[in-house]
Amino acid sequence: MNDIQNQEDLYLLVDEFYKKLLSDDSISYIFTDVVKIKIEEHLPILVTFWSQAILGTGGYTKNLTQIHLDIDKKEHLTPELFKVWLNHFYNSVDENFSGKKSEQIKTQALSISTIMQIKIMQQN
């Protein structure tokens, strides 16, 4: 298996990840009922985020923390939801990639999950 090398790889990763999230009833409602994402618009934003984080490309300008704090006000984002999110993310990476960037993106996802949970606890 190859490592994550470019935005096309990140698109594949994010697409596979969201397929898992949207088919899991324990978390899919956040995306379909609470936030009501349009996946075709959402995926490129996520690719830009991860590309900036992992490949150093820049271009992501949204406030990731505030987005999640706003979602939490509509529907509490529990630690269990973060566990489900992280599990699907790790599986999506491990099923498609292997290498330094693959490990880096999983570490970054864990960091993001931890920070978001702390910020949500502080907000509440």
Side-chain angles (χ1 to χ4, degrees):
M1 253 189 291
N2 292 328
D3 200 1
I4 298 167
Q5 299 175 26
N6 53 44
Q7 288 190 334
E8 290 79 22
D9 291 341
L10 290 169
Y11 190 91
L12 170 71
L13 171 60
V14 171
D15 188 49
E16 290 298 315
F17 173 51
Y18 268 78
K19 285 177 185 172
K20 291 180 187 322
L21 289 176
L22 294 173
S23 65
D24 183 337
D25 291 340
S26 72
I27 196 168
S28 63
Y29 71 95
I30 296 291
F31 304 95
T32 58
D33 300 338
V34 178
V35 181
K36 298 178 183 172
I37 63 166
K38 294 182 176 121
I39 197 72
E40 64 280 356
E41 295 172 9
H42 193 57
L43 289 183
I45 294 168
L46 294 171
V47 169
T48 301
F49 170 81
W50 285 114
S51 181
Q52 177 171 298
I54 301 304
L55 304 175
T57 57
Y60 185 81
T61 58
K62 298 181 184 291
N63 184 332
L64 184 67
T65 302
Q66 192 58 54
I67 290 167
H68 288 83
L69 291 174
D70 291 346
I71 294 168
D72 183 70
K73 289 177 185 174
K74 296 177 185 177
E75 179 73 25
H76 181 52
L77 298 177
T78 65
E80 184 56 39
L81 286 170
F82 280 99
K83 286 178 192 168
V84 170
W85 180 90
L86 205 53
N87 184 53
H88 285 310
F89 192 84
Y90 283 1
N91 287 338
S92 298
V93 173
D94 291 341
E95 289 168 5
N96 293 284
F97 301 100
S98 176
K100 185 178 176 187
K101 295 283 186 199
S102 302
E103 293 306 313
Q104 181 184 351
I105 203 169
K106 290 190 295 183
T107 300
Q108 184 106 17
L110 175 60
S111 176
I112 290 167
S113 171
T114 303
I115 290 166
M116 290 301 158
Q117 290 179 74
I118 291 168
K119 295 289 188 182
I120 287 168
M121 282 183 359
Q122 289 173 341
Q123 172 176 272
N124 296 331

